[in-house]
Amino acid sequence: MEVRTRFAPSPTGYMHIGNLRTALYAYLHARKNNGKFILRIEDTDQARLVEDSVKVIYDSLAITGLEHDEGPDKGGPVGPYVQSQRLPLYKQYAEQLLKEGHAYRCFCDKQEKTEEPGEEAHDGPILGYDGRCSRLSEAEVQANLAKGMPYVIRQKIDHEGSTSFKDFIYGDIVVDNKQLDDQILLKRDNFPTYNFANVVDDHLMGITHVMRGCEYISSTPKYILLYKAFGWEIPEHIHLPHILGESGKKLSKREGSVALSDFLNKGYLPEAILNYIALLGWNPGTEQEYFTKADLVAKFDIARIGKAPAMFDMVKLAWLNAQHIKALPPEKAHELFQKFYPEKITAGFDIKKLSGILQGKVEKMSDIPAMTAFLTELDEKYAVELFVHAKNKTTLESSKAVLADLQGILSQTVWNHDSLMAAVKGYAEAKGAKLGPVMWPMRIALSGLAVTPTGAIEIAELLGKEESLRRIALAIKRL
C-alpha cells in the first residue's frame, strides 16, 4: 500500500509554527516510505479567509523545501485540491448519509456554530444541539421542504454506548457517545463543515496517515463514526503533542513569534527552523541534534514521536541556527548577510571580509546590525573599567602603558592582518609578556566592548589605520 499523507491548511493568515511541524512530519513520513505528500487547501469557512493566504502557504512550503507531489498548483489524480471547488462531492455524500439514515435535515432557526480547527476540544459533555429535528417524521420533513424552509444536514449519532479508536501516539481512546453532538455536516449554503469535508476528502484522496494536533482527539470519534457510516477504511490517526511557549501554555501569538515569516525576517534559516521543529515532539533516539533535511528524511520514524508536550526554546533554536549558518558556503552566507548590513557598514567596510568573520559567530542574522554597530560608532563613554581583566592580569595603568607603546609601533606598521599580528606579537615578545595582556586593552580601545565578534587584529584591519589610531589615542587620553 502506498503511503499518502497530506497537509491541509486553511488560508486564514500566516503559517503557524505548529502547522509547519504538521506539514514537516507528513512530508518526512511520505518521503521515508517513498509515498506521496499532498497539499489540500481547506477554504470552506469562507468568513475566515484572508487575502493572499494561499500564496503564503505556497511560499512557506517552497522556502522550507517541503515539496508536495499533488496539489492545486500541480494537479493530480484525485483533484480538485481546493475544497471550495469540491462542493458537489460533499453534497453527494451528505445526501448518501441522509438516505441511509446516518444524517438528518435540521430546520431549527439557530445560528450555526462556526467550524474551526481545534474548536471542538472539550473535557466533558457537549451542551450543544439537542437533536430535536432527528425526531421529525418523514411527513414533517417533507412539509418543511415544501415550505422552502432552509436546513442544514446533521450527523445522526446514537448517544448510547461509546466510540473507540486507536491513535498511533496516544493509544486506545474511548469516548462516551453522550459527549458527541450531532455535528453539522452541510451548512445552508451547501458548504461543508471542516470535520465533514476532512473525512470525505481524506477518503477520496486515499490518505493513509492523518497527522494533526492533539486538540483534535476529542472530535475524532465523530470522524470515526462517519467512516463507519460510509463503510470506509479508517486511516491511521497520528495526533501530535502540543508545542508550549515559555509560559507553559500552548504556543500562540500572545506568547511571542509563532509565524514562520517572523522567524525568517529575523534571519533564521529555513533549514534551521525545520531542524528545530522536527525535534519538537520527535526524538531521533541518539544525541544528534543537527540535521539537514536529507538527514531528517533518512532518520525520521513516526514511532519516535512522543506524547509529552514540547517546549519551544528560543535559545536552542538560535544555537541550531548558528550551526546551519556555519555550514553554509561562504559565498551564500555573504549573500544572506548583505540584506542585514546597515548602510553605513556596506558603504564603509570590506563586507565580504566582515561576512567571513561573522559567519562563525552570528546566531541569527537580525543580530548583525547590533554586532557591527561599534565599527561605525564608538561609544566614547564606555566604562574604562573594561580595561581591567583578571585573567589577563591587566590594570588601568598597564593598559595605558601598552596602548601608548602600540600607538607608536602601529603608526609605522603596514595595515594588513599579517603585518599587524607580527607587530603586536613582536611587541609582546620584546616585553616578555603573553599576547593576552596586549590584545585585551587593544580590543577594548578599538571597540569599547568586552565582547566582540572577532579579535583586536581583525577589528583594526576592518577599521583602517586612521580610525584605529584615533581610537587608541582616545583611550590613552581617558585612561
Side-chain angles (χ1 to χ4, degrees), residues 276-296:
Y276 181 62
I277 65 173
L279 301 173
L280 294 176
W282 171 73
N283 184 336
T286 66
E287 296 299 313
Q288 182 177 353
E289 294 182 304
Y290 177 92
F291 291 88
T292 64
K293 191 177 74 169
D295 291 336
L296 290 172

Side-chain angles (χ1 to χ4, degrees), residues 11-53:
T12 55
Y14 56 86
M15 176 69 78
H16 189 286
I17 285 296
N19 290 341
L20 185 62
R21 183 188 64 171
T22 300
L24 174 62
Y25 285 4
Y27 170 87
L28 293 174
H29 186 60
R31 291 289 174 268
K32 180 70 178 286
N33 293 279
N34 297 313
K36 293 291 191 297
F37 174 57
I38 294 140
L39 173 64
R40 184 172 76 224
I41 303 298
E42 301 197 336
D43 62 345
T44 57
D45 194 342
Q46 297 283 296
R48 296 178 63 236
L49 301 187
V50 175
E51 188 177 0
D52 293 332
S53 288

Side-chain angles (χ1 to χ4, degrees), residues 4 70-72 75-82 85-86 89 204-205:
R4 289 174 65 84
E70 301 171 23
V78 290
Y81 294 86
V82 178
Q85 298 172 11
R86 298 169 64 83
L89 284 171
L204 295 180
M205 294 182 178

Side-chain angles (χ1 to χ4, degrees), residues 7 15-17 19-25 27-28 31 37 56-68 259-261 263-264 268-277 291-294 296-297 324:
F7 177 49
M15 176 69 78
H16 189 286
I17 285 296
N19 290 341
L20 185 62
R21 183 188 64 171
T22 300
L24 174 62
Y25 285 4
Y27 170 87
L28 293 174
R31 291 289 174 268
F37 174 57
V56 169
I57 293 167
Y58 288 139
D59 290 348
S60 299
L61 293 179
I63 199 168
T64 53
L66 301 183
E67 311 93 351
H68 51 285
L260 172 63
S261 57
F263 290 99
L264 295 174
Y268 290 96
L269 298 177
E271 48 267 44
I273 297 170
L274 286 187
N275 184 168
Y276 181 62
I277 65 173
F291 291 88
T292 64
K293 191 177 74 169
L296 290 172
V297 169
H324 281 272

